Amino acid sequence: MTTVLLIITAVLTALIAGLFYAYSCSVVLGLGKLSDAEYLKAMQSINREILNPVFFMSFMGTAILLPVSVFFLRGEQPVFIFLLLAALAYLVGVFGVTVVGNVPMNDQLDQFDISGSAVEAIKQMRENFEARWNFLNNVRTVFSVVSILLVICACIWHKEV
């Protein structure tokens, strides 16, 4: 049973790491080439569309299954340590950064009326948003990759009892 739990946890963690990684090394680069208004419209659209059941299943599922895995494998060393570190990395560096950093920025952008704003206001909004949002996304990318590496280590050292 714990092997199945570890596999599901690893898959969800890998999906989230892949999402943030792909975004950091491709989507950000493409969006960066858009005009200010196009960039803001694209980000508004992306931020709205990512709020879907498939994303929530992997994003929230990882936040739930990592601690659950820690609990169920608490007596197995070094698996417990790998999973504990993976859970901490994910909950602080991915989930926490998203909730405290990216989501408030997304909400602020969602309220911004692009079509009713002057060119200077649009430019200012992008300047206030883009670099900070990308930095936070890179933080999430690093921490999600660290999380999956630690979960993989737990899978390697895990022995079904």
Side-chain angles (χ1 to χ4, degrees):
M1 180 66 182
T2 55
T3 299
V4 172
L5 176 64
L6 269 177
I7 290 169
I8 294 169
T9 302
V11 168
L12 292 180
T13 308
L15 288 171
I16 287 298
L19 171 84
F20 291 130
Y21 171 77
Y23 202 92
S24 290
C25 70
S26 64
V27 176
V28 164
L29 301 175
L31 290 174
K33 297 190 181 324
L34 298 176
S35 71
D36 294 340
E38 290 172 326
Y39 171 83
L40 294 177
K41 286 178 188 174
M43 284 301 293
Q44 283 178 336
S45 181
I46 290 167
N47 290 336
R48 291 173 185 151
E49 293 304 316
I50 200 161
L51 302 176
N52 66 69
V54 174
F55 171 75
F56 282 122
M57 179 187 68
S58 54
F59 184 71
M60 297 302 292
T62 303
I64 293 166
L65 286 182
L66 278 169
V68 167
S69 296
V70 170
F71 177 79
F72 279 108
L73 291 153
R74 65 191 178 278
E76 191 176 323
Q77 300 293 335
V79 174
F80 169 77
I81 299 299
F82 288 131
L83 291 173
L84 180 62
L85 293 173
L88 290 172
Y90 187 83
L91 293 173
V92 173
V94 180
F95 190 83
V97 167
T98 299
V99 170
V100 174
N102 294 89
V103 169
M105 293 181 71
N106 294 348
D107 291 343
Q108 182 182 19
L109 178 60
D110 193 54
Q111 300 301 314
F112 185 70
D113 177 17
I114 298 167
S115 61
S117 295
V119 173
E120 190 56 40
I122 292 170
K123 180 181 182 193
Q124 187 64 47
M125 177 55 123
R126 182 178 186 168
E127 288 175 1
N128 293 339
F129 183 88
E130 186 175 21
R132 182 166 183 256
W133 197 97
N134 289 343
F135 171 76
L136 293 174
N137 191 67
N138 288 336
V139 169
R140 298 186 301 182
T141 301
V142 168
F143 276 90
S144 62
V145 169
V146 167
S147 293
I148 188 55
L149 289 173
L150 290 165
V151 172
I152 290 168
C153 290
C155 290
I156 291 168
W157 271 275
H158 173 66
K159 300 196 181 4
E160 188 68 55
V161 180

